[in-house]
Amino acid sequence: MDMISYTFLDEELERLSTMLENFVRNVGVELCVLCDEGGRLITYAPKLENLKPIAHRSAVISAAVNGAIEYLENFVDSGRSLYVSGKTKSVYMLKSEHSFILFVSFLNKTPLGSVKLFSERLMREIHPILESARNRQITNRTIRFEDIAI
């Protein structure tokens, strides 16, 4: 079981979605996912229905990778990001101070420097919303993994 200790208001979720949509459009990435460290999808862009299952899987995988990275950080320097390059696509993950994860998938023709720069900028811009959600903690809800598994 996992404890959720944040609450987003509807208008905050809409604002986050808009910010991710702008990021995807302006930087030219394929998919941007915002999730928590438990693998729960908060929002994603672009908001295409056929991308929703991929966004959910990306959230779960991001949380798992984040857990592995946190374990490995006991042996190496601490970091907040991860970059993985494939033959045609790459992935960049960035973790916020509030344990939220930004997952970005992009074609290799998109410059990595742009993805990093604008991902970090996006994380700074959404920071106040994430902080508000963490501080709100109206009620703690328990979520079982079985309830979110796809």
Side-chain angles (χ1 to χ4, degrees), residues 3-147:
M3 294 298 292
I4 297 175
S5 58
Y6 62 87
T7 304
F8 286 101
L9 303 175
D10 289 339
E11 55 268 14
E12 290 172 331
L13 290 173
E14 288 176 27
R15 187 162 173 233
L16 287 169
S17 292
T18 300
M19 294 169 89
L20 265 64
E21 289 283 349
N22 289 337
F23 171 79
V24 166
R25 185 178 53 254
N26 294 336
V27 181
V29 300
E30 289 190 324
L31 177 66
C32 184
V33 173
L34 180 64
C35 63
D36 68 16
E37 64 184 358
R40 284 173 292 276
L41 178 65
I42 296 167
T43 189
Y44 68 98
K47 280 280 194 193
L48 302 172
E49 196 58 35
N50 65 327
L51 289 179
K52 191 171 188 177
I54 296 168
H56 274 287
R57 284 192 294 273
S58 298
V60 172
I61 290 168
S62 295
V65 169
N66 178 63
I69 290 171
E70 285 181 358
Y71 178 76
L72 291 174
E73 285 176 346
N74 293 326
F75 303 106
V76 296
D77 292 336
S78 179
R80 294 181 355 167
S81 64
L82 172 72
Y83 167 67
V84 179
S85 178
K87 289 181 182 179
T88 59
K89 293 183 182 182
S90 295
V91 168
Y92 182 68
M93 283 178 37
L94 183 63
K95 185 176 177 186
S96 77
E97 297 172 25
H98 301 291
S99 301
F100 293 100
I101 301 167
L102 189 66
F103 171 93
V104 182
S105 173
F106 57 99
L107 293 173
N108 288 345
K109 67 179 182 179
T110 304
L112 173 61
S114 295
V115 173
K116 284 182 171 184
L117 174 71
F118 292 108
S119 293
E120 290 170 7
R121 183 180 292 171
L122 175 61
M123 192 61 87
R124 282 192 305 274
E125 289 173 359
I126 66 176
H127 175 81
I129 299 171
L130 302 179
E131 186 173 41
S132 293
R134 274 283 185 212
N135 291 336
R136 197 167 290 117
Q137 296 182 12
I138 295 172
T139 56
N140 285 343
R141 296 173 288 158
T142 301
I143 301 293
R144 298 175 311 158
F145 179 75
E146 300 82 36
D147 295 336

